[in-house]
Amino acid sequence: MSTDQARRVALAAQGFSGRTPRPPVTVGGLDRALDRTHLLQIDSVNVLSRAHYLPLYSRLGAYARTLLDRAAGNADAEGAHPRGPVRLFEYWAHEASLLPVRLHPLMRFRMDRMARDPWRGFARVEEERPGLIERVLAEIADRGPVTARQLTPEGAPDRESWGWNWSNVKVAAECLFLTGRVSSAGRTTSFERRYALPEQVLPTAVLATPTPAEPDAIRSLVDLSAQAHGVVTAQCLRDYFRLEVDETAVAVAELVEAGRLEPVVVEGWRRKGYLHVDASLPAHCRPTTLLNPFDPLVFNRFRAQTLLGFDYRIEIYTPAPKRVYGYYVLPFLLDGHLVARVDLKADRKAGALLVQSAHAEPSAPGHTATALAKELQRLAGWLGLGAVTPPVRGDLAPALAAALT
């Protein structure tokens, strides 16, 4: 396969058809997008928007975020939560993620592993506060859904809990969450997880689905990863759901033998490639949109470099003086190619989208600034921001500022 063919296969596999669906986007549209990505990565940074909202925007256009809130059980702007079983559940897949509830049985092997080999913080809590985990479980069963701050199994919280300074009660709740004994009933508007028993949150049919054997679950996850990539290396297959090297290699060999994966040679790739049986190669695939740093198309740096020719590093955790492009930088996809990047911030009080810097790739075509200005205005409208503040930093800043004004 040529690099261009592989790029088109990958874009199609991720749901980038190049055509924005007609509004309004329905639950069916959300489901179809998630049938492509299989997950939405979660991140607490809210300088522009919570990370899980943006991949759907990139694929569906200006959809109503309340649609995703209802599916995941998240609080709305007034702090109210939807009632009834959720369509998406939260667990550790590619980092913390939202996944369709149909994948819950496939993640149970990871919950079992957590129970067999717990995080050292759990042992500390059991040593300091024997029986606390079971008491927290009992309170969740009685009061759930409930946040860790609302849990008081022994009266007042044992110490102040903020950020990563977790109280023992928070650690106990996370232990129960990681091992699958409790689930997430969504997040509050301040991004706190709400703990509940699985039967309080998940559909009955999902809970009744038998748990597959561990090798079968891993093979299914590798298959789903391959579907989401279209054409892919073993390293990226493993990274999508954060699987182990050896178990991924076994699953890949079995999927090749079963005809689900076909070994391919991709121009410019040093590693062996695999093409999924359901992958399509569209004659044209020219989507134009902005991508957030945690979008499945670019969250693997190796894949962004080898497939899309885009050297992309998230600089959120880089000290400000050492940042090259900015704090929250979004790649710009123009006609199916990554041609620029912009550092964005939502100034909600002023009602403005701040473009703090703009940089072009060497391959960026002449109309990049004009197209990017249009996309920034579209994004601002979706976020409820009335203005776009032009950039002053970056080689694309002068042309983009002119296009915006």
Side-chain angles (χ1 to χ4, degrees):
M1 299 181 69
S2 68
T3 303
D4 183 67
Q5 287 174 322
R7 179 186 57 82
R8 281 182 278 141
V9 167
L11 289 170
Q14 275 287 308
F16 290 101
S17 64
R19 298 185 300 275
T20 302
R22 291 183 178 179
V25 176
T26 64
V27 171
L30 182 144
D31 287 343
R32 285 190 291 275
L34 284 163
D35 283 342
R36 295 287 190 173
T37 66
H38 305 304
L39 59 80
L40 299 171
Q41 187 175 338
I42 298 172
D43 190 80
S44 61
V45 175
N46 197 25
V47 67
L48 179 68
S49 170
R50 299 287 188 199
H52 56 285
Y53 292 113
L54 286 161
L56 293 176
Y57 167 79
S58 298
R59 290 155 178 79
L60 301 175
Y63 74 102
R65 279 168 286 178
T66 52
L67 196 68
L68 183 56
D69 288 333
R70 288 194 294 269
N74 291 330
D76 61 21
E78 286 71 43
H81 291 268
R83 297 180 179 179
V86 298
R87 301 172 67 85
L88 303 172
F89 76 103
E90 181 182 339
Y91 197 63
W92 288 90
H94 184 92
E95 303 297 336
S97 304
L98 290 175
L99 305 99
V101 291
R102 59 183 166 80
L103 299 190
H104 187 271
L106 300 182
M107 302 307 296
R108 292 175 194 162
F109 83 94
R110 183 162 288 162
M111 300 172 189
D112 292 340
R113 285 182 178 179
M114 286 291 183
R116 294 194 302 267
D117 185 19
W119 171 45
R120 62 181 179 272
F122 307 157
R124 175 183 60 78
V125 167
E126 277 294 275
E127 181 180 337
E128 293 181 5
R129 305 277 290 278
L132 177 64
I133 291 174
E134 296 303 320
R135 291 193 292 275
V136 168
L137 176 62
E139 186 173 350
I140 291 172
D142 182 54
R143 297 179 55 202
V146 64
T147 67
R149 260 198 294 186
Q150 294 168 331
L151 289 166
T152 54
E154 298 171 340
D158 52 349
R159 64 186 172 110
E160 184 182 359
S161 180
W162 50 268
W164 290 104
N165 181 44
W166 286 0
S167 69
N168 285 331
V169 169
K170 169 66 174 177
V171 175
E174 282 299 297
C175 171
L176 293 165
F177 173 72
L178 290 174
T179 56
R181 300 177 70 188
V182 304
S183 189
S184 171
R187 299 263 185 163
T188 67
T189 50
S190 57
F191 211 60
E192 292 178 278
R193 184 181 288 127
R194 298 164 68 241
Y195 301 96
L197 298 182
E199 54 266 32
Q200 293 172 327
V201 181
L202 297 170
T204 303
V206 170
L207 294 172
T209 302
T211 300
E214 187 171 293
D216 295 336
I218 292 167
R219 184 169 58 252
S220 294
L221 289 173
V222 172
D223 195 319
L224 291 172
S225 175
Q227 288 179 31
H229 287 92
V231 61
V232 62
T233 66
Q235 184 266 349
C236 293
L237 282 174
R238 174 178 60 83
D239 181 63
Y240 205 74
F241 287 104
R242 295 294 165 89
L243 302 169
E244 299 296 332
V245 174
D246 292 344
E247 64 193 16
T248 302
V250 171
V252 167
E254 292 172 347
L255 290 169
V256 169
E257 185 176 358
R260 299 289 295 171
L261 294 179
E262 179 184 359
V264 293
V265 175
V266 179
E267 175 191 6
W269 289 15
R270 295 183 178 182
R271 302 176 183 178
K272 183 185 295 185
Y274 297 93
L275 181 70
H276 193 268
V277 66
D278 295 332
S280 63
L281 175 57
H284 304 285
C285 194
R286 298 171 179 166
T288 294
T289 191
L290 286 157
L291 305 172
N292 89 307
F294 304 98
D295 193 287
L297 186 66
V298 294
F299 62 36
N300 184 291
R301 187 183 181 194
F302 168 80
R303 184 167 175 84
Q305 176 68 61
T306 57
L307 181 70
L308 302 168
F310 195 74
D311 188 5
Y312 186 50
R313 181 192 295 273
I314 298 173
E315 296 183 271
I316 291 173
Y317 308 109
T318 302
K322 295 184 178 181
R323 290 180 195 139
V324 178
Y325 297 107
Y327 179 77
Y328 204 78
V329 175
L330 279 70
F332 178 44
L333 188 68
L334 175 60
D335 295 331
H337 296 271
L338 291 174
V339 299
R341 61 191 90 201
V342 282
D343 181 19
L344 300 182
K345 179 179 181 178
D347 186 340
R348 297 174 180 89
K349 183 178 288 188
L353 177 63
L354 308 183
V355 186
Q356 303 190 109
S357 72
H359 295 82
E361 293 293 288
S363 59
H367 65 291
T368 295
T370 303
L372 178 55
K374 182 178 179 180
E375 286 303 310
L376 289 168
Q377 290 161 346
R378 185 169 73 102
L379 176 63
W382 178 64
L383 293 173
L385 304 172
V388 180
T389 302
V392 294
R393 292 193 301 108
D395 57 11
L396 189 59
L400 181 57
L404 285 168
T405 56

